[in-house]
Amino acid sequence: MNIKITGTGSYIPDTIEKNENFHQHQFLNTDGSTIDHPNEVIVDKFKAITGIAERRYAKHHLTSSDLGFFAAEKAIADAKIDPETIDYIIVAHNFGDVKHNTIQSDMIPCLASRVKHSLRIKNPKCVAYDILFGCPGWIEGVIQAKAFIQSGMAKRCLVIGSETLSRVVDKHDRDSMIYSDGAGATIIEATEDEGGILAHESASFTYDEAYYLFFGNSNNQDLCRDTRYIKMDGRKIYEFALTNVPNAMKTCLDSSGTDIKDVKKIFIHQANEKMDEAILKRFYRLYKTDIPEGIMPMSIQKLGNSSVATVPTLFDLVKNNKLENQSLTKGDVIIFASVGAGMHINAIVYKY
């Protein structure tokens, strides 16, 4: 038996937030001082570094668990399964359900329970729980699903990555332009079909790196000091990712017994276009080989960074031929890889 992704689904919000919409923001330095550049220059520099021209925000009445539910419905339909036969529902997120214009996260009940409730699954043996693993959460959820299936504890799992980062950003912080909302879902199950998960790699770097991403105060010193927003040390994250993600990908690929020349697609967490391109260069440099054209699909330009949702959403788009000049063929070897808060890194080598 092989462990495969038998169904995918994604939910991409309709609301488009373009870069021009940030021209009216008051961006400040971390100490509250004014930035000595007009917003148009700040936004243009941001786009040059990240590649982001626009991002998606969820409609005001929807929460992260709603987005996850929409993506899950599509994955279940794609896999053509009875939802009552799902053994585990694993939902990766970071901040729970944050309602529009509120500052409080809601995680009771857990988002997985909410998704199961929305799916109207009656089976109590379908266990629903959340995973907090930063941006690599969906990949880690797939790794856990693989372990459940291999151990005989499950035959079929639903793994979701969902987030509404637009609701935890500091509007006075330039980094707020990176973040977006969305959800991706997959059905993972044991099957007699060829392929599936060939190898995985996972690691947590916490000794010096734990707080590269954190919850902190607004750059606007006049705002409430008790209200927190997502913050990051971008330079340290960039350097950390460039060193550690390619190494994790290589370890994973070597463990799978697959030759680098047989890899057809690499799905990297959509955090920063320049960072992902640098990771790819470092990875292929480890094998002393050239980078094949079109091997790394990208969605960040239009969708921004939706954290746990970027990789499953990107995979769903390519699988369904919704990304220009990108497609998959049965038997293709692909790599999933991510890095994020914790600091966590993981990768999966998968035969499509």
Side-chain angles (χ1 to χ4, degrees):
M1 299 294 285
N2 297 310
I3 299 169
K4 296 197 70 174
I5 298 171
T6 59
T8 65
S10 60
Y11 180 78
I12 298 169
D14 296 327
T15 304
I16 299 174
E17 188 80 359
K18 296 188 176 181
N19 282 359
E20 306 87 83
N21 297 344
F22 290 89
H23 286 173
Q24 306 308 314
H25 280 223
Q26 182 194 29
F27 290 122
L28 302 170
N29 291 308
T30 55
D31 62 1
S33 61
T34 302
I35 297 173
D36 295 329
H37 298 290
N39 279 10
E40 289 79 4
V41 173
I42 294 172
V43 172
D44 286 348
K45 185 177 180 181
F46 164 83
K47 184 179 183 299
I49 294 171
T50 66
I52 300 172
E54 58 189 48
R55 73 285 294 141
R56 300 298 181 100
Y57 288 173
K59 290 182 179 178
H60 294 172
H61 68 285
L62 297 174
T63 60
S64 185
S65 60
D66 292 324
L67 309 193
F69 161 63
F70 298 147
E73 280 191 312
K74 294 178 181 178
I76 290 167
D78 186 43
K80 299 178 177 62
I81 63 166
D82 178 356
E84 294 290 341
T85 64
I86 296 171
D87 297 303
Y88 279 88
I89 298 175
I90 306 169
V91 175
H93 62 89
N94 296 289
F95 300 102
D97 278 355
V98 182
K99 293 182 179 178
H100 179 68
N101 273 343
T102 64
I103 61 171
Q104 193 169 28
S105 175
D106 181 1
M107 286 187 269
I108 300 176
C110 69
L111 270 58
S113 289
R114 299 177 194 208
V115 170
K116 181 183 175 183
H117 172 79
S118 296
L119 290 170
R120 308 312 295 154
I121 295 174
K122 294 180 178 179
N123 178 15
K125 295 287 189 180
C126 172
V127 177
Y129 72 94
D130 294 358
I131 177 173
L132 298 176
F133 201 73
C135 294
W138 173 79
I139 293 179
E140 198 65 22
V142 173
I143 292 169
Q144 290 187 7
K146 172 181 178 282
F148 286 142
I149 295 169
Q150 277 185 324
S151 70
M153 291 173 61
K155 292 181 179 178
R156 178 175 288 156
C157 301
L158 167 61
V159 183
I160 302 167
S162 184
E163 193 55 85
T164 52
L165 290 176
S166 67
R167 299 182 184 172
V168 293
V169 295
D170 173 16
K171 293 183 179 180
H172 300 283
D173 188 340
R174 285 170 286 187
D175 290 337
S176 66
M177 292 187 283
I178 291 175
Y179 300 114
S180 64
D181 308 337
T186 46
I187 297 294
I188 315 292
E189 59 183 315
T191 172
E192 293 181 356
D193 292 346
E194 290 185 6
I197 298 172
L198 303 181
H200 74 269
E201 178 71 12
S202 218
S204 297
F205 295 80
T206 62
Y207 191 82
D208 293 315
E209 306 88 352
Y211 293 96
Y212 286 178
L213 273 148
F214 59 98
F215 236 24
N217 294 125
S218 170
N219 290 3
N220 186 339
Q221 306 295 305
D222 295 330
L223 294 183
C224 176
R225 297 287 89 187
D226 291 327
T227 303
R228 299 286 193 271
Y229 307 88
I230 185 172
K231 296 285 179 175
M232 66 176 178
D233 190 326
R235 171 50 55 185
K236 287 184 178 179
I237 292 171
Y238 187 90
E239 293 170 352
F240 172 83
L242 258 60
T243 300
N244 293 285
V245 177
N247 290 338
M249 291 165 64
K250 185 179 188 301
T251 299
C252 192
L253 186 62
D254 292 347
S255 296
S256 75
T258 305
D259 191 284
I260 181 67
K261 294 178 182 177
D262 292 329
V263 176
K264 302 300 182 185
K265 296 292 175 190
I266 298 177
F267 296 87
I268 298 180
H269 166 50
Q270 304 290 285
N272 178 314
E273 183 181 56
K274 288 287 185 287
M275 186 176 82
D276 284 359
E277 289 173 349
I279 288 171
L280 192 70
K281 287 178 183 177
R282 293 275 186 101
F283 175 60
Y284 274 88
R285 193 183 302 162
L286 293 172
Y287 288 96
K288 297 180 173 61
T289 186
D290 294 332
I291 301 172
E293 187 176 350
I295 196 162
M296 186 175 71
M298 297 289 289
S299 61
I300 193 170
Q301 299 90 343
K302 298 287 187 181
L303 302 184
N305 176 358
S306 56
S307 185
V308 290
T310 67
V311 176
T313 299
L314 182 60
F315 178 59
D316 182 57
L317 290 172
V318 174
K319 174 176 171 284
N320 290 294
N321 299 307
K322 292 183 178 180
L323 211 60
E324 191 175 354
N325 300 320
Q326 293 288 348
S327 62
L328 287 167
T329 303
K330 188 173 176 59
D332 282 354
V333 174
I334 62 179
I335 298 176
F336 299 114
S338 189
V339 56
M343 291 286 293
H344 304 302
I345 283 177
N346 53 20
I348 289 174
V349 174
Y350 182 86
K351 189 170 184 180
Y352 183 68

